Amino acid sequence: VKVPRDLRLQALALTEKRVIEIGSPHLPKRSVEVFFDIEGEQKHGVAYLLGTLVRRPGSEEHHSFVAARPEEEGRIWHEFLRLMAGLEDFVVYHYHTYELITLARLKEKYGGSEDVYHRVVDNMVDLFKMIKDTVILPTRSYSLKEIARWLGFHWSNRQANAPQSMLWYALWLETGERCYLDWSIEYNRDDCEATKVVKDWLVTVGNSRSHSGLRK
C-alpha cells in the first residue's frame, strides 16, 4: 500500500524531531498587526469575547470586548468595529476558520459599517492554513495549543482550553462569581499571544528560506 506523501513526511518529522519545509510563508508587511481570537459559548449561541492584541512598532495593546451577558453580544461587536475603524495599514492574524465564520454571523445579525467589515475580512490571514501549506512539524496535532507549546509558549492556566473557557462563562452566568469571567479573559489574551508567537516563528521560516534559497 502506497503511503501518501504528507503522512510519510509527518512520520519523518516526528521520528527525526525536525521541521520539514514544503513551501514558503508569504506574510504581508503592514505597520499594524492584529492578533485576533474569539471565545464562543454553544448553549446560548453567543460570541462572548472578542479579543485582540494590537501590535504597532514599539508597542502592544490588548483589547478584550466582553459580553458579560449574552444579550450584550451586539454591543461588543460594534465596539470591535470601532477599534478596527481607527486602524490603518493593518493585517489580522487568526488561527483556523472560527473567527471568519463568526464575524460573518455577527455582521448578518447586528449590521455595522460595510467598509470596516470588508477591510477586516479582506485583511485576515489564517495561520493554520499557512502552516499546513508551508511546514511539516514534529507535533501530534496542528492545533494552536500544540504548536505554540512546541515553540515554548505557556498559557497562564496550563489546564485552560476552549471547552474550559465555555464552562467558565457558563459558571459566571450561573453564579455571578467574577473569577470565572476573569479566567476566560486571561485565557483569551493568552490565545492572542500564542497566535503572535506562531506568526513570528513563521517569519523566521520565511527568512531562513530566502537566505538559503533551498528547500529542505
Side-chain angles (χ1 to χ4, degrees):
V1 178
K2 186 176 181 180
V3 179
R5 174 177 174 267
D6 285 355
L7 288 179
R8 286 188 285 108
L9 289 176
Q10 187 63 65
L12 183 64
L14 286 166
T15 301
E16 298 187 354
K17 295 182 172 58
R18 69 180 178 91
V19 177
I20 300 172
E21 297 174 19
I22 58 174
S24 182
H26 298 288
L27 296 157
K29 293 185 178 180
R30 305 288 170 77
S31 59
V32 179
E33 295 176 320
V34 180
F35 302 95
F36 184 42
D37 187 75
I38 297 176
E39 304 302 328
E41 200 268 342
Q42 293 179 342
K43 180 180 177 181
H44 296 89
V46 62
Y48 64 88
L49 206 170
L50 309 181
T52 66
L53 169 58
V54 180
R55 180 164 68 179
R56 299 177 174 89
S59 72
E60 294 183 357
E61 186 175 12
H62 280 279
H63 301 268
S64 300
F65 302 107
V66 184
R69 315 305 299 179
E71 56 268 26
E72 296 177 13
E73 183 184 57
R75 172 183 60 77
I76 68 170
W77 163 241
H78 289 289
E79 288 176 354
F80 167 75
L81 287 181
R82 282 196 292 274
L83 170 70
M84 300 308 297
L87 302 180
E88 298 292 340
D89 189 36
F90 66 83
V91 57
V92 180
Y93 291 109
H94 62 106
Y95 204 86
H96 227 305
T97 58
Y98 180 68
E99 280 67 32
L100 197 58
I101 292 169
T102 302
L103 290 187
R105 179 182 69 79
L106 293 174
K107 176 65 173 65
E108 177 70 21
K109 187 173 184 179
Y110 301 109
S113 167
E114 290 284 345
D115 175 65
V116 175
Y117 171 74
H118 286 293
R119 280 205 301 131
V120 171
V121 298
D122 290 347
N123 287 285
M124 291 180 72
V125 174
D126 182 358
L127 294 178
F128 170 77
K129 183 178 187 306
M130 187 165 290
I131 281 179
K132 293 291 285 185
D133 288 345
T134 57
V135 289
I136 306 292
L137 300 178
T139 56
R140 294 292 176 180
S141 83
Y142 283 75
S143 70
L144 178 63
K145 297 285 181 306
E146 181 89 4
I147 293 173
R149 284 175 175 146
W150 172 71
L151 290 170
F153 182 80
H154 298 290
W155 273 255
S156 301
N157 184 328
R158 294 184 179 233
Q159 305 304 314
N161 52 41
Q164 181 69 64
S165 181
M166 284 190 281
L167 175 60
W168 284 332
Y169 187 67
L171 289 171
W172 151 251
L173 294 178
E174 180 182 331
T175 68
E177 292 288 339
R178 178 72 194 193
C179 61
Y180 294 119
L181 191 58
D182 288 342
W183 290 339
S184 282
I185 294 169
E186 177 186 66
Y187 168 71
N188 177 264
R189 289 189 172 203
D190 283 349
D191 272 359
C192 292
E193 291 281 354
T195 304
K196 180 187 71 174
V197 166
V198 172
K199 180 267 170 181
D200 288 351
W201 178 76
L202 277 169
V203 170
T204 68
V205 173
N207 289 341
S208 69
R209 287 179 62 83
S210 63
H211 290 156
S212 68
L214 299 174
R215 180 171 298 185
K216 294 182 181 179

